[in-house]
Amino acid sequence: MAYTDESIKSLKSFLGLHGQEHLIHFWDELSPKERSDLYRDILAVDFENHLASFDRCTRTEQESTDKDLRPLPAEAFESVFSCDADNERWTRLGLKEISEGKVGVLLMAGGQGTRLGVSYPKGMYNTGLQSGKCLYQIQAERIRRHEILAAEIFGSSKAIQWYIMTSEHTKRATVDYFKSNNWFGLSEENIIFFEQEMIPCVSFQRKLIMSSKSSLSRAPGGNGDLYKAIGSEGVLNDMLKKGIRSIHCYCVDNILVKVPDPLFIGCCLERNSDCGAKVVCKSHPTEAVGVICECNGKWKVVEYSEISLETAHLKNEEGKLLFSQGNICNHYFTTSFLADMVQDKEQQLIHHVAQKKIPTIDSHGNADTVTGIKMEKFVFDVFQFANRFTVLEVARSDEFSPLKNGPGAKSCTPEICREDLSNLHKKWVLKAGGTFEGEGLCEISPLVSADGEGLSELVAGRVVKLPAHFAERPVTTNNGYTNGYNGLHSKL
């Protein structure tokens, strides 16, 4: 971007008014290209709004909401444990929505696998399943299976649209990975990748942090940045153009995620909800998971760190935790609700403070690290705007096993995810009338069964020898994708 002596003089004055003169401290040492890069980088920042957001979120972080919390009212709550007839009706309603082409899946996949010990996007991670499938492939095949199920019941089915939010660090690698795997059997035209914004990091002294002499330090603005991104990247327009009504939104790291979940979609549709969330019952009062509740008359996810120990241990008349609905980042939105968020409500969302170690430079331009603030919005921050909100309780063992940490850690590891998926699949086999012999893992391809359906004809009255892998037969789609069948099969 071109600049002049006069424009640099104006820039220095502008930065001085906002207390950010340090951003051009090394100007005289920079090459013409570096100066141009830095000039463009600085001009891209809306200083007034960014610093105002910083002031709001740091002030809000100091305000306690504990005294304002109320448990969810009964009218907002449903549970998969309540009634099989409800579950069947909701599932059929959701599959009908799929068959009519009214369902989109919104995947939040902006994170890298740094904590897993890898440099590539988390969705590409292989947890060590017998099939060798990564998270992306498992989810893609679950989408394909639900298209098949909808077609079997209603005669035909339109495609499920898959919207994948990446970041500056993951988009190229993610797109290339999907392309090299022939879109995992889905049509390329039904997968839309988009990128969330990178926003400047700020020090505790209200100074924007430099990553080098010629660039600002930036970080993704949290998964709640998706509302701004679906507007600016044309995703919302695509949803509306294609007649999509129901959006199932989730995070990439949950190996057990039902995607899309027709039961959840059907439940929200029947209740005429514009917004919904799945929850699991907290395992103990201080479990490190956000809780969905009411706060000052609005729906809210309150982080575990924001609840006092006394409140966390409160119990109801039945002896159960009063605040027990643990958020698992698995949500339902109508596209009309999303449109309202994009057009009107998104700017009302307050950033959250994330204190992080941020690479930077010192006053001499040498590499350094500083504890600073990454400002983030969360996907669930919009719950407060819902007119009709539904919370659906699901079984943790069936639906929630996030991959957060590398091998050997105490929780949320590849080993635990692999074991949780195997335990779920073993439960399906037992329910379908099969039994097991030996020890080891059990894996059922999503293309064989997405939720335990259709297994009776394979296992009823039979003994399955472990380890077992129910792999789909080799199939090559018209785009050249081969499903990864590798000769492994269940031993009956």
Side-chain angles (χ1 to χ4, degrees), residues 311-383:
T311 299
H313 282 83
L314 289 177
K315 295 184 178 181
N316 60 21
E317 295 176 352
E318 299 176 352
K320 298 179 180 179
L321 289 177
L322 196 61
F323 297 100
S324 63
Q325 287 81 28
N327 177 50
I328 60 172
C329 205
N330 195 316
H331 309 311
Y332 169 89
F333 304 113
T334 62
T335 48
S336 59
F337 178 81
L338 290 178
D340 187 36
M341 296 307 101
V342 171
Q343 296 162 10
D344 184 41
K345 303 294 195 306
E346 188 275 331
Q347 292 186 350
Q348 299 180 37
L349 301 179
I350 298 175
H351 284 93
H352 300 263
V353 170
Q355 298 186 22
K356 304 285 186 179
K357 292 288 186 181
I358 300 172
T360 185
I361 54 174
D362 61 22
S363 58
H364 302 290
N366 299 316
D368 197 4
T369 302
V370 64
T371 299
I373 291 175
K374 293 182 178 180
M375 294 161 53
E376 300 177 337
K377 292 180 180 178
F378 298 150
V379 62
F380 49 72
D381 289 337
V382 300
F383 289 175

Side-chain angles (χ1 to χ4, degrees), residues 167-294:
S167 68
E168 178 183 279
H169 301 301
T170 62
K171 184 175 183 181
R172 186 72 266 155
T174 299
V175 174
D176 289 346
Y177 189 69
F178 269 72
K179 186 175 182 178
S180 66
N181 284 279
N182 294 308
W183 316 101
F184 298 112
L186 300 171
S187 296
E188 179 182 355
E189 63 185 16
N190 297 324
I191 306 176
I192 295 179
F193 300 91
F194 64 104
E195 191 174 321
Q196 68 181 121
E197 185 181 23
M198 302 287 286
I199 64 175
C201 303
V202 187
S203 73
F204 289 101
Q205 291 74 39
R206 205 172 179 263
K207 306 288 187 182
L208 271 62
I209 297 173
M210 303 288 290
S211 61
S212 71
K213 293 180 180 181
S214 60
S215 62
L216 307 185
S217 177
R218 294 175 179 267
N223 56 27
D225 192 49
L226 76 87
Y227 304 108
K228 185 175 183 179
I230 64 173
S232 62
E233 298 278 305
V235 172
L236 177 62
N237 286 340
D238 186 82
M239 294 174 177
L240 297 174
K241 180 180 178 181
K242 291 176 178 175
I244 294 174
R245 174 170 59 177
S246 298
I247 295 293
H248 187 176
C249 176
Y250 69 101
C251 284
V252 70
D253 59 9
N254 182 7
I255 197 170
L256 299 184
V257 65
K258 295 181 180 180
V259 52
D261 182 4
L263 187 155
F264 183 36
I265 293 169
C267 175
C268 291
L269 282 172
E270 185 176 87
R271 290 170 53 86
N272 196 30
S273 297
D274 48 12
C275 182
K278 287 188 179 184
V279 296
V280 297
C281 185
K282 289 180 65 173
S283 60
H284 56 275
T286 57
E287 182 182 4
V289 61
V291 173
I292 299 182
C293 57
E294 267 193 306

Side-chain angles (χ1 to χ4, degrees), residues 449-467:
S449 181
D451 195 22
E453 80 288 340
L455 292 178
S456 295
E457 61 188 54
L458 296 177
V459 303
R462 301 181 182 183
V463 177
V464 178
K465 296 181 180 180
L466 296 174

